[in-house]
Amino acid sequence: MTDQVQPEQGPGASGPGPDGAGFTYRGAEQELIVVARPEARLRARPEGVRSAAGADVSALNMFLSDEQLTLEPLFGSEERLHTTAASGEHVPDLTLFYRVRGGGDRAEELRSRIAALPGIDTAYVKPGAVPASLGSVGQSSDDNRRIKEGAPVTPDFTSRQGYLRPAPEGVDAYWAWQRPGGTGQGVTVIDVEGAWQFGHEDLSAKLAGVVAGTPLTDLAWRNHGTAVIGVIGGDRNEYGITGIAPDATAAAASIQDIGSAAAVQAAADRLGPGDIVLVELHRPGPRNDFEVRDDQRGYIPLEWWPDDFAAIRYATAKGVLVVAAAGNGGESLDDAVYERRPDFFPEWWRNPFNPSNQSSGAILVGAGAPPPGTHGRDHGPDRSRLSFSNYGGRVDAQGWGREVTTTGGFWDRPGDLQGGAEEVVWYTDTFSGTSSASPVVVGALACLQGMLKASGQDPMSPERARQVLRATGSPQQSAPGRPASQRIGSRPDIKAAVSRLLPEAVGSGQAERYWDELLPYPRELPPRLRLFVAGTWRNLNDPSPEIRHAVHAAFAGGRPDVRVWYSDDEIVGLVVTG
């Protein structure tokens, strides 16, 4: 979801689009969703609707025929859903949800009429879901100044990816890459949104393509999806950017033609426990009577709608992690407006933002400010809530909501970091919103799941992942008018999360030899003093000159006595006596 809100003035509060103007994504479709009564046991086919319970559905079929409409199962064949339903997991009955095809712009009129028919519980209209992303802030008034036309060789932009660095600035991807599985190996991520540029030069290594739906043709959607995939799985090479989990397999599910809920379910059906579905969308909520707005005020996470909640719950019950943008509506998700059930929602619906009600199991991600000075801009204190980001007790974690360097262009134009005639070499410095925050969290989770798999342990369950994100990480900070009590959670810290997931007893031993790594590889890593202890190399990052000199002197004397305490391959204590 791209941040497009125009909030109050001040750091972190500038307008979303070019020159502060809002913008919308083209092609987002309304969805007319029908919820059947369980006892009717409807079976919808192209030739008409029947009842497996023998109920009279002639009025329903006559209505559909007269209005030239088709009722189709939202999640696929009812019989197949019955055979694959998760047991004992409190998953909503997916066989009750249908989508109406046809009717053009008459969705509201049709909703009230079809909801009154026998066999139907209710019907509701969902506004089109759009990416939760924002435009740039603080960009030069000369918009073309930073577009490099036809750059023959793409430079290395990784130094601009502060979110890769050690905590608290980043998630410490560099540390993860040194561990078995820490590049996301063995983990698959499916991004649910609208479109992608899979021919991009920096996205060639681990792509599985589009697994459901038909990609939209709009350039803004394509730039958005390309940016998301780059943050997670950009190739690890000598040019462009590098994803947080470059060895994770990335795939995509488009909402076009099938809708958001069906796309989530289709993605989950292609994944196993520990894999990840990323939902990069939000839509207008009840605050402004579901009004579609350029500024995205009042937009909220998809899980508030019954069918989206059911699809997400279906995925998490299978052990698939679902990470979703919290939305750019500037809303408190704790507000009472979300407790009120819309008249057209089924009576069993309960507000999923309320922790007292059943959770979808998804991880909701808010947008936090990057460190001041990133790319020469200041959006407020590091890890403070950006003013457009939704917040509340339901939000689990935060990622960078501004200044995210990644693949793709800026909004509906060439890349603002590198442009040119060829879309496959575009890069942006200004990906933003809860849309940029969410793939940062997904990348960290993919690294953690990869390390768990490499160590022979079970991957995190959805609930375990939420617990780890809430218990670890770099804490949210306050900003003027945006206190930390407006919860968006902590920024993930992979290293801290590993210590919670894979606690290792502290070992000790004598150092047999050393290596003073003054020029580390990759070069983004800090200088390290490496000591060979208990059969493997252990690392001491950023050693002081005094420690470095003492170790040099001990080994130069010919009879070194260097006692090392370590956890995994990290040195936690050091005593030099000879």
Side-chain angles (χ1 to χ4, degrees):
M1 298 164 60
T2 303
D3 154 20
Q4 302 174 179
V5 179
Q6 291 186 59
E8 68 281 358
Q9 297 301 307
S14 300
D19 304 319
F23 44 75
T24 56
Y25 286 83
R26 294 188 295 273
E29 297 178 329
Q30 279 189 332
E31 298 177 58
L32 176 51
I33 304 298
V34 171
V35 184
R37 294 187 180 277
E39 63 272 17
R41 295 174 60 196
L42 296 187
R43 299 292 185 266
R45 299 293 180 268
E47 61 273 14
V49 181
R50 66 179 182 86
S51 166
D56 183 2
V57 292
S58 58
L60 174 58
N61 277 313
M62 184 178 299
F63 173 80
L64 295 171
S65 175
D66 289 348
E67 299 295 338
Q68 296 185 317
L69 305 174
T70 302
L71 192 68
E72 64 179 33
L74 183 62
F75 298 111
S77 163
E78 297 96 339
E79 286 82 1
R80 185 184 68 83
L81 289 171
H82 276 303
T83 61
T84 60
S87 60
E89 294 284 357
H90 307 289
V91 178
D93 186 352
L94 300 188
T95 67
L96 302 181
F97 293 94
Y98 294 84
R99 179 171 176 170
V100 176
R101 297 286 190 184
D105 57 1
R106 300 165 52 223
E108 282 296 341
E109 173 205 340
L110 296 170
R111 180 201 66 75
S112 59
R113 294 173 62 191
I114 198 170
L117 292 170
I120 302 301
D121 181 0
T122 189
Y124 53 91
V125 177
K126 291 165 52 177
V130 296
S133 64
L134 286 169
S136 80
V137 169
Q139 190 168 330
S140 166
S141 59
D142 177 7
D143 285 341
N144 293 320
R145 183 177 63 85
R146 296 177 65 224
I147 297 178
K148 302 177 177 65
E149 292 293 341
V153 177
T154 298
D156 186 347
F157 296 130
T158 53
S159 63
R160 305 183 70 83
Q161 295 179 265
Y163 55 89
L164 298 176
R165 295 176 189 151
E169 178 180 2
V171 300
D172 213 347
Y174 294 130
W175 182 87
W177 296 345
Q178 301 172 72
R179 272 73 192 166
T183 55
Q185 189 173 13
V187 180
T188 299
V189 178
I190 298 182
D191 178 31
V192 175
E193 50 177 298
W196 307 262
Q197 175 49 267
F198 282 139
H200 196 282
E201 65 171 1
D202 225 355
L203 300 177
S204 61
K206 290 283 184 176
L207 285 178
V210 179
V211 299
T214 303
L216 289 147
T217 58
D218 185 59
L219 178 58
W221 281 89
R222 194 159 63 245
N223 276 337
H224 183 276
T226 305
V228 168
I229 297 295
V231 174
I232 300 167
D235 295 345
R236 195 174 178 185
N237 49 40
E238 298 302 317
Y239 59 86
I241 56 93
T242 301
I244 297 172
D247 286 332
T249 298
S254 176
I255 63 173
Q256 182 173 224
D257 298 329
I258 63 174
S260 55
V264 170
Q265 182 228 15
D269 277 342
R270 288 160 173 79
L271 298 174
D275 290 330
I276 306 171
V277 171
L278 170 58
V279 182
E280 277 284 304
L281 303 161
H282 63 175
R283 63 164 55 94
R287 172 71 68 194
N288 297 308
D289 197 25
F290 308 101
E291 177 189 9
V292 176
R293 300 167 58 107
D294 283 0
D295 64 6
Q296 298 183 354
R297 284 289 193 183
Y299 281 40
I300 57 174
L302 300 195
E303 67 171 39
W304 195 74
W305 281 265
D307 57 314
D308 289 301
F309 178 92
I312 294 169
R313 189 75 194 100
Y314 171 84
T316 56
K318 291 185 60 178
V320 174
L321 274 58
V322 178
V323 178
N328 300 338
E331 288 283 295
S332 168
L333 301 182
D334 298 330
D335 194 280
V337 69
Y338 301 110
E339 289 291 334
R340 294 194 287 272
R341 179 180 64 84
D343 293 340
F344 41 84
F345 274 17
E347 291 187 4
W348 48 259
W349 176 88
R350 297 293 182 273
N351 173 22
F353 304 154
N354 185 338
S356 299
N357 298 328
Q358 184 189 18
S359 170
S360 71
I363 294 162
L364 289 193
V365 180
T374 301
H375 304 158
R377 303 182 186 119
D378 184 355
H379 300 282
D382 184 28
R383 305 186 308 282
S384 61
R385 182 181 75 85
L386 290 166
S387 57
F388 60 80
S389 178
N390 291 339
Y391 59 93
R394 176 66 184 88
V395 183
D396 297 294
Q398 64 164 290
W400 278 33
R402 292 285 194 189
E403 308 301 336
V404 172
T405 302
T406 182
T407 46
F410 163 64
W411 176 228
D412 60 354
R413 60 190 71 175
D416 54 297
L417 181 60
Q418 177 169 283
E422 297 295 329
E423 186 181 330
V424 295
V425 296
W426 289 354
Y427 294 83
T428 179
D429 238 358
T430 53
F431 188 39
S432 57
T434 49
S435 269
S436 67
S438 299
V440 170
V441 173
V442 167
L445 289 170
C447 292
L448 290 169
Q449 298 288 56
M451 282 187 272
L452 287 168
K453 289 187 175 186
S455 67
Q457 300 197 36
D458 292 333
M460 288 181 288
S461 67
E463 183 57 31
R464 179 62 170 152
R466 290 182 68 194
Q467 291 171 353
V468 168
L469 289 173
R470 284 175 171 260
T472 63
S474 304
Q476 179 181 349
Q477 297 195 94
S478 295
R482 303 189 302 279
S485 58
Q486 296 178 345
R487 178 184 169 85
I488 58 171
S490 299
R491 178 181 296 155
D493 177 349
I494 296 173
K495 188 175 182 180
V498 166
S499 67
R500 188 176 185 88
L501 290 166
L502 297 169
E504 297 282 348
V506 175
S508 64
Q510 291 289 125
E512 301 173 37
R513 53 188 183 274
Y514 81 101
W515 174 18
D516 197 349
E517 192 176 59
L518 298 175
L519 295 174
Y521 180 81
R523 60 183 177 280
E524 295 86 2
L525 293 174
R528 297 181 297 177
L529 185 62
R530 310 193 71 193
L531 296 165
F532 194 82
V533 184
T536 192
W537 289 99
R538 320 282 179 177
N539 305 313
L540 179 63
N541 291 335
D542 290 313
S544 67
E546 292 78 14
I547 290 177
R548 186 175 264 130
H549 175 75
V551 170
H552 284 208
F555 278 91
R559 300 185 63 182
D561 186 4
V562 180
R563 187 75 175 176
V564 176
W565 284 262
Y566 56 87
S567 176
D568 192 15
D569 63 354
E570 181 180 1
I571 294 173
V572 298
L574 185 74
V575 174
V576 181
T577 58

